[in-house]
Amino acid sequence: MGLKEAFGNRIKSLRRQRGLTQDALAYRAERAVDTISLIERGVNWPNAETVEKLAEALGATINELFDDLPVASTNEGEDQLAVGRRLLKQLDDKELALALVMLKALTKGER
């Protein structure tokens, strides 16, 4: 299972634990039901703002959304690093702060 699928399963699990339907979560997160469905099925990866909205709607921290998700290893570390740097440069300050929280959650706060 990939990271998108694991994240989608986490969202679905938290939603069900809180007794919410996809419609209710979509309303609370100010997103379309189709968006929630695609995320839960691991088809789409949410942007930083949507991750933040999902956490708020679920009454969870961003860390809770990412705790214990599998992190894929790769032999192409340098290529991945270049991609990461390029993507980080595209973020505004709020998105960058959220990305840092997400990275800390994925790495369990190491470093």
Side-chain angles (χ1 to χ4, degrees):
M1 174 184 314
L3 185 58
K4 279 196 303 189
E5 292 85 5
F7 182 81
N9 285 338
R10 173 67 47 80
I11 297 301
K12 183 188 297 185
S13 175
L14 289 171
R15 175 179 60 77
R16 287 179 172 171
Q17 286 173 14
R18 281 139 175 90
L20 298 172
T21 63
Q22 285 186 344
D23 287 328
L25 178 58
Y27 178 79
R28 287 183 177 193
E30 301 172 345
R31 297 296 181 262
V33 176
D34 288 344
T35 299
I36 301 301
S37 176
L38 290 169
I39 291 168
E40 286 189 356
R41 289 184 286 135
V43 175
N44 284 359
W45 187 250
N47 64 25
E49 183 181 347
T50 299
V51 169
E52 193 171 39
K53 293 277 191 180
L54 286 170
E56 289 173 15
L58 291 166
T61 65
I62 292 171
N63 283 354
E64 287 178 88
L65 300 185
F66 290 93
D67 278 348
D68 302 321
L69 293 182
V71 179
S73 61
T74 177
N75 292 334
E76 302 176 62
E78 291 182 58
D79 292 338
Q80 294 297 319
L81 188 57
V83 170
R85 285 183 178 140
R86 181 178 48 78
L87 292 172
L88 287 171
K89 287 179 183 179
Q90 297 174 18
L91 302 178
D92 63 27
D93 287 344
K94 183 178 178 183
E95 292 169 331
L96 189 56
L98 181 57
L100 181 58
V101 170
M102 293 162 67
L103 283 170
K104 284 181 180 178
L106 286 171
T107 61
K108 297 166 186 48
E110 295 173 10
R111 288 186 148 191

